[in-house]
Amino acid sequence: MEVFKNKRSAIFISLFCMFLWGSAIPMIKMQYEILSIERGDIGSRLLVAGLRFFVAGIITIFYFKIFNRDYRVDFKSLNYKLLIKVALLQITLHYLFYYTGLFYTTGVKASVIQSFNAFIIVLFSAVLIKGDRLTKRKLIALIIGTIGIIFINLGGDMSASFSLLGDGSIIMAITLNGLATVLVKKEGNSVSPFIISAFQFCIGCIPLIIIGVILKQTIWTVNFKAILLIMYGGFISATAFTLWYMVLKNQSTGEFGIYKLFVPIFGSILSVVILGEAFSARLLIGFTMVII
């Protein structure tokens, strides 16, 4: 589609994807509260994530049917090796490590570590994709943006101690996410972004659901609002991943990977608006640095 080839349009679409992913931060907090999920219940968190991605897979299939009515999938010629790798890296392993890390470290440290996801994407792009160089301007942009996110979290629990299960798991999670993103760009140009998204959700959610059911400790409080939030979570993933893969198909991963810095920024702003969390000068300064 031409709109994804236009750089200015691709930037706005990328920011919209980051906004959607950012909205997942207060949405997940609300889910845990409404479902009465205890803080230490990793199983329930994995199960909620698995259900969210299952819904995302269904929604992505609907997107595919609506926007690609004349497209016929040749299942024999699909790159199943790539699809399985992306499903395991982007969904299963990424979220297994991410939720394990959240259990053993603070949310503040996890947020700061997660901001380095943009660094990971740009570095992997420079190493694995021909012609995608790590320029001085990209490096300066990443440094300024990351300092902005760290500045926002100053004053929180940012102890210098390193936890292998906590901090190490978050680092592993963002590394796997960055690798999957670059693989989609490098090997997925011949595959429809709808197919990549639908496959990663439908396959990647299975281990999360199974492990979640086995480890689940909390008896959930299921109501209409909880179901609505899971549906919205599926919408976020289906829409953001599909649009993001379309952008990556037509633009430089190393350049557009920098926009991942906006995810924690949007998440913080939406937490202020939706959850009533305090707005601070740090948030404003950090947001400004990310924009710079």
Side-chain angles (χ1 to χ4, degrees):
M1 298 171 74
E2 290 299 320
V3 68
F4 294 97
K5 294 179 181 179
N6 181 284
K7 191 170 182 179
R8 184 173 294 180
S9 299
I11 289 172
F12 281 110
I13 293 168
S14 297
L15 289 174
F16 176 64
C17 293
M18 304 313 143
F19 176 83
L20 287 177
W21 277 318
S23 73
I25 294 172
M27 181 271 298
I28 290 170
K29 291 179 181 178
M30 290 173 67
Q31 276 183 340
Y32 295 159
E33 184 178 342
I34 291 168
L35 288 169
S36 303
I37 294 175
E38 297 171 3
R39 186 174 180 179
D41 188 357
I42 297 178
S44 284
R45 295 184 180 209
L46 292 176
L47 182 55
V48 169
L51 293 174
R52 167 188 166 187
F53 294 128
F54 174 76
V55 171
I58 301 300
I59 294 174
T60 307
I61 292 170
F62 275 113
Y63 283 165
F64 182 75
K65 292 291 184 181
I66 294 169
F67 296 108
N68 296 268
R69 291 180 180 178
D70 299 327
Y71 187 90
R72 294 291 178 268
V73 182
D74 183 2
F75 289 98
K76 292 182 179 179
S77 63
L78 285 179
N79 186 347
Y80 286 104
K81 186 177 179 180
L82 170 66
L83 294 174
I84 292 172
K85 279 194 294 187
V86 172
L88 293 177
L89 291 173
Q90 188 77 276
I91 303 299
T92 306
L93 293 175
H94 172 211
Y95 284 94
L96 275 172
F97 278 107
Y98 182 68
Y99 283 117
T100 300
L102 284 180
F103 182 73
Y104 289 102
T105 192
T106 65
V108 170
K109 289 182 76 175
S111 179
V112 171
I113 295 169
Q114 199 173 3
S115 70
F116 286 92
N117 183 231
F119 265 107
I120 298 291
I121 292 173
V122 172
L123 290 174
F124 273 138
S125 297
V127 173
L128 299 174
I129 299 177
K130 189 177 181 180
D132 219 336
R133 295 180 297 109
L134 178 60
T135 64
K136 188 183 292 184
R137 289 183 69 183
K138 287 180 188 176
L139 189 59
I140 292 171
L142 284 165
I143 290 171
I144 293 173
T146 304
I147 289 172
I149 293 171
I150 293 173
F151 185 78
I152 289 171
N153 290 286
L154 288 175
D157 187 0
M158 282 289 291
S159 60
S161 61
F162 179 85
S163 163
L164 185 61
L165 282 174
D167 306 341
S169 293
I170 300 292
I171 291 170
M172 181 60 73
I174 65 171
T175 302
L176 293 169
N177 174 268
L179 180 59
T181 300
V182 175
L183 281 176
V184 169
K185 172 65 177 179
K186 184 181 180 183
E187 302 178 18
N189 279 334
S190 61
V191 185
S192 166
F194 291 97
I195 292 175
I196 297 175
S197 292
F199 201 97
Q200 75 171 19
F201 295 136
C202 292
I203 298 300
C205 76
I206 295 172
L208 293 178
I209 291 173
I210 293 172
I211 296 170
V213 169
I214 293 171
L215 299 180
K216 179 175 175 288
Q217 299 172 357
T218 307
I219 298 175
W220 292 1
T221 304
V222 180
N223 53 35
F224 177 75
K225 189 179 286 188
I227 294 171
L228 197 63
L229 284 172
I230 290 175
M231 296 294 289
Y232 176 69
F235 164 76
I236 289 172
S237 297
T239 307
F241 270 109
T242 303
L243 289 175
W244 179 236
Y245 287 160
M246 286 181 173
V247 169
L248 295 180
K249 195 170 185 178
N250 294 279
Q251 301 293 338
S252 163
T253 310
E255 183 177 348
F256 277 73
I258 292 173
Y259 292 104
K260 279 287 190 116
L261 288 168
F262 278 90
V263 175
I265 289 291
F266 284 137
S268 298
I269 292 172
L270 289 169
S271 292
V272 170
V273 175
I274 297 171
L275 302 178
E277 295 183 0
F279 183 84
S280 64
R282 285 198 182 102
L283 181 56
L284 180 61
I285 294 169
F287 184 56
T288 304
M289 293 179 77
V290 170
I291 291 173
I292 290 171

